[in-house]
Amino acid sequence: MEADKKKLALNIVSSKVNHKGFGAGAIDLSNVSGIIIDGDEAYLDEGTLHAKSKIEKGIKFSVNKEDVPNGRKAWIVWVAVDRTEEGAYYAGMTACEMLIDTEARRGWKILAEHVNKMDAAMKRKFIFDGLDDKERALLKNQLIAHNEEWWNRSDKALKDALS
């Protein structure tokens, strides 16, 4: 009898289907991904949406920077992709700072900032506050390497911000 009961699960709704009732109005995350910038490397990590990226696994996060005195700076860049008649493009993008101390298994991030920045990316905004020139170059190179056609179709504001 217990197995017959439906379990409550996170409902990610696609805008391609007309949903009504339970779950209506849920956010469509199918066009959002995360890129990790860590040191000299930038890479796409599908675990970012659930805080299970390669660098976040096994880390206990705090909201106090003082709890991570030996942390290295890393970034999650939320990337929203959209499509026009010409094809897909990078539509919105925002960067969120983290500190990671792998040895101590401690980290710092502000979850509310990550959620708000993901929302801003989905609303087609570009926010790169805090990224230095090297990190911007790493991000740009990763975006082009992932799909140069998407980069070419992207807004001039993105290209200017990362140049």
Side-chain angles (χ1 to χ4, degrees):
M1 193 120 147
E2 197 66 35
D4 292 336
K5 267 189 171 179
K6 281 189 175 180
K7 291 185 179 177
L8 188 61
L10 177 62
N11 193 7
I12 299 176
V13 179
S14 174
S15 61
K16 297 171 187 83
V17 180
N18 187 15
H19 292 276
K20 294 185 175 152
F22 183 76
I27 305 171
D28 182 2
L29 296 175
S30 61
N31 295 327
V32 178
S33 295
I35 292 177
I36 299 290
I37 301 174
D38 186 12
D40 294 328
E41 172 178 41
Y43 56 92
L44 185 66
D45 192 322
E46 295 193 19
T48 55
L49 284 175
H50 303 288
K52 294 184 181 192
S53 65
K54 182 173 107 178
I55 65 171
E56 292 174 288
K57 283 184 182 174
I59 301 293
K60 180 174 172 45
F61 283 96
S62 170
V63 296
N64 299 314
K65 274 188 171 181
E66 303 80 39
D67 294 343
V68 193
N70 300 318
R72 70 183 187 279
K73 187 175 13 171
W75 297 87
I76 293 180
V77 179
W78 299 112
V79 180
V81 176
D82 205 349
R83 178 175 295 280
T84 64
E85 289 179 9
E86 292 82 38
Y89 66 99
Y90 299 117
M93 208 169 298
T94 57
C96 298
E97 184 180 3
M98 300 185 295
L99 295 177
I100 304 290
D101 184 341
T102 307
E103 274 187 37
R105 300 179 66 149
R106 303 278 300 160
W108 167 84
K109 70 177 176 180
I110 305 296
L111 184 58
E113 178 189 8
H114 284 250
V115 170
N116 290 335
K117 292 264 182 94
M118 182 192 299
D119 181 60
M122 291 169 55
K123 290 178 177 169
R124 311 304 182 240
K125 295 181 182 173
F126 299 111
I127 303 171
F128 301 109
D129 300 341
L131 284 181
D132 64 25
D133 290 341
K134 175 185 154 194
E135 293 160 338
R136 288 173 192 253
L138 286 168
L139 176 58
K140 177 182 176 181
N141 293 339
Q142 174 58 35
L143 293 169
I144 292 170
H146 179 70
N147 195 314
E148 191 169 0
E149 290 178 13
W150 292 5
W151 172 260
N152 292 336
R153 284 190 286 266
S154 294
D155 195 279
K156 185 179 180 322
L158 171 63
K159 295 172 185 174
D160 290 346
L162 297 181
S163 293

